[in-house]
Amino acid sequence: MRSIIFFDIDGTLVTEDARAIIPQSTREAIKLTRQKGNLTFINSGRTAFNISPRVKELGFDGYICGCGTYIEYGGEVLFSRTIPQEECRNIAELMRKCRVTPVYEHSEGYFFDDKAPIADGLKEFMEVFVDSGIDISGRVEDNDFGFDKFVIWTTQDSDMELFRREIGKNFSIIDRGGGFYENVPLGYSKATGIEMVLKKLGISIDNAYAIGDSANDLPMLEAVPNSIAMGGAENIYPYVSYITSPIEEDGIKNALLHFDLI
């Protein structure tokens, strides 16, 4: 019976620093497990357009993106959910009232708000995109404005009481630390993405594996019986069934070896 492995990206497949290293052992391990007949999936909070070619070229059978709001398998989109545009525009107006810095994430691009305060986090975010050649021209005034999920940075003037009260009605608010929040429509997560994929492909949960390195991976890790923490990610050690070595010490390869996936 073939198995299926769900991978986080940053800190799991790629070092989470300016070097953005993908270890050669990781490349080899993913190739070997696929040759063995196992399926490999990205499971990321990133929306689909923001999965870099460097990651895609590792070789994946499918992608769960935007915290379960988009699912692709074998080049075919199995599921995609974008928030209705009227609701998107209402949220954009609310974010202005909350005086936060939003980035609206769609499966095909990002949208920015020039009327929002400019947080330092946004500056860094946009610099990375410019360096990567990613289009940052999308604005909330555009006719095609819409999003699947969104993130915000707070400032000292932000009204977080209003934000939590109103956004909490329809979104899971994930505190990523440092005044940065990821907001995902209720009913969607890395875990619901896994559930949809397993049902679609007819794979038993017993043959599902997930590998991550941070607290935002917990829904994915807790959704499967075979959960793996990257070495050095001490904060999630209590929640996983196996702890592998750090990413640059053959972490992915050693995890797949441990579970006889290569």
Side-chain angles (χ1 to χ4, degrees):
M1 184 69 178
R2 65 180 175 175
S3 296
I4 185 167
I5 311 152
F6 299 93
F7 297 88
D8 174 51
I9 297 176
D10 299 299
T12 301
L13 294 172
V14 184
T15 59
E16 200 164 17
D17 54 30
R19 300 172 302 153
I21 292 172
I22 301 175
Q24 183 59 31
S25 63
T26 295
R27 299 177 187 276
E28 294 170 353
I30 291 173
K31 181 178 179 180
L32 287 171
T33 198
R34 294 184 78 200
Q35 288 177 347
K36 197 171 180 177
N38 299 320
L39 297 177
T40 56
F41 268 71
I42 288 291
N43 195 348
S44 177
R46 298 187 185 200
T47 47
F49 92 102
N50 195 23
I51 308 297
S52 73
R54 292 182 66 239
V55 170
K56 288 185 175 182
E57 70 182 11
L58 293 175
F60 294 97
D61 298 285
Y63 301 85
I64 299 171
C65 301
C67 292
T69 58
Y70 175 96
I71 300 174
E72 179 182 319
Y73 171 64
E76 175 188 355
V77 177
L78 301 183
F79 177 81
S80 181
R81 196 265 185 180
T82 296
I83 298 165
Q85 190 176 69
E86 182 178 357
E87 184 179 347
C88 289
R89 296 202 178 279
N90 290 339
I91 290 171
E93 285 301 317
L94 175 63
M95 293 305 96
R96 290 172 176 174
K97 292 178 181 178
C98 292
R99 299 183 297 279
V100 298
T101 304
V103 174
Y104 301 105
E105 303 174 272
H106 189 276
S107 60
E108 297 180 0
Y110 281 173
F111 293 90
F112 302 87
D113 189 352
D114 293 332
K115 295 182 179 180
I118 302 177
D120 289 340
L122 176 64
K123 294 177 184 176
E124 296 173 7
F125 190 90
M126 295 184 82
E127 286 174 1
V128 169
F129 272 22
V130 169
D131 290 343
S132 303
I134 293 175
D135 183 11
I136 58 170
S137 65
R139 294 295 184 270
V140 296
E141 291 81 11
D142 295 352
N143 290 332
D144 60 347
F145 171 60
F147 56 91
D148 308 342
K149 60 188 281 284
F150 70 104
V151 297
I152 65 160
W153 289 268
T154 60
T155 69
Q156 60 182 7
D157 297 321
S158 297
D159 187 343
M160 289 305 289
E161 181 179 349
L162 175 61
F163 175 84
R164 291 183 185 278
R165 183 175 70 246
E166 295 302 319
I167 292 302
K169 293 176 182 178
N170 297 302
F171 288 79
S172 297
I173 302 171
I174 305 168
D175 185 350
R176 300 291 299 273
F180 181 60
Y181 296 84
E182 185 174 22
N183 309 285
V184 182
L186 291 175
Y188 298 90
S189 69
K190 290 185 177 184
T192 64
I194 288 177
E195 182 180 352
M196 289 184 193
V197 167
L198 294 182
K199 183 177 181 179
K200 176 70 176 180
L201 301 184
I203 297 176
S204 167
I205 187 71
D206 293 332
N207 293 320
Y209 300 77
I211 309 178
D213 73 297
S214 61
N216 72 318
D217 293 319
L218 286 178
M220 171 178 76
L221 296 169
E222 293 176 335
V224 300
N226 310 298
S227 53
I228 302 160
M230 298 299 292
E234 290 89 352
N235 59 324
I236 63 171
Y237 284 0
Y239 307 99
V240 299
S241 54
Y242 180 70
I243 300 165
T244 188
S245 52
I247 182 172
E248 292 188 79
E249 297 176 20
D250 301 336
I252 294 297
K253 178 181 179 181
N254 288 334
L256 300 191
L257 280 170
H258 174 80
F259 285 101
D260 196 29
L261 295 168
I262 57 176

